[in-house]
Amino acid sequence: QVQLVESGGGLVQAGGSLRLSCAASGRTFSTYDMGWFRQAPGKEREFVAGISRGGINTDYGESVKGRFTISRENAKNTVYLLMNSLKPEDTAVYYCAAARSKPWLGRSQSSYAYWGQGTQVTVSS
């Protein structure tokens, strides 16, 4: 298994930027597809972004496309989510997740076997 720890959440004004980090344990990090999900109060968990094991392929949820960027540094066992042009509706707990690599990046929660504890992002209006 793999352990995931998110960091970088906090309070930011609308229009601002924030970068989340997810640190993974183990020497097999480079074999996993990675994803970010978020969950706002009273709402279902939502796919935000995914990245293939080598970092070449990425996928984004429609609500964040063009504003958020997912990346990874396999040598550091870390995946990032750069969030630009933040809006109040981006307020949520953000979760990092890992999946065994497949031919296509997954968007469903069931594709990801391992999850971090989440980090709170709050965007003020």
Side-chain angles (χ1 to χ4, degrees), residues 9 11 16 19 21 25 32 34 36-38 45 47 58 61 64 68 71 82 84 90 97 104 110 114 117 125:
L11 176 65
R19 190 179 77 160
S21 298
S25 66
Y32 289 91
M34 300 296 296
W36 288 95
F37 291 76
R38 67 186 183 186
R45 193 165 295 186
F47 172 77
T58 58
V64 307
F68 291 10
S71 62
L82 176 62
N84 293 324
D90 294 318
W104 305 103
S110 62
Y114 305 104
Q117 82 289 345
S125 60

Side-chain angles (χ1 to χ4, degrees), residues 13-73:
Q13 291 182 322
S17 298
L18 204 62
R19 190 179 77 160
L20 305 183
S21 298
C22 174
S25 66
R27 59 189 291 269
T28 59
F29 176 74
S30 62
T31 71
Y32 289 91
D33 293 339
M34 300 296 296
W36 288 95
F37 291 76
R38 67 186 183 186
Q39 187 164 25
K43 295 186 177 181
E44 295 183 349
R45 193 165 295 186
E46 174 190 22
F47 172 77
V48 175
I51 188 166
S52 60
R53 60 182 180 177
I56 301 300
N57 299 311
T58 58
D59 188 29
Y60 297 93
E62 195 65 32
S63 64
V64 307
K65 192 171 297 182
R67 298 189 296 121
F68 291 10
T69 303
I70 188 171
S71 62
R72 66 193 295 165
E73 295 185 51

Side-chain angles (χ1 to χ4, degrees), residues 90-108:
D90 294 318
T91 295
V93 177
Y94 283 72
Y95 298 90
C96 177
R100 284 292 186 182
S101 183
K102 298 177 178 64
W104 305 103
L105 291 172
R107 288 188 172 188
S108 65

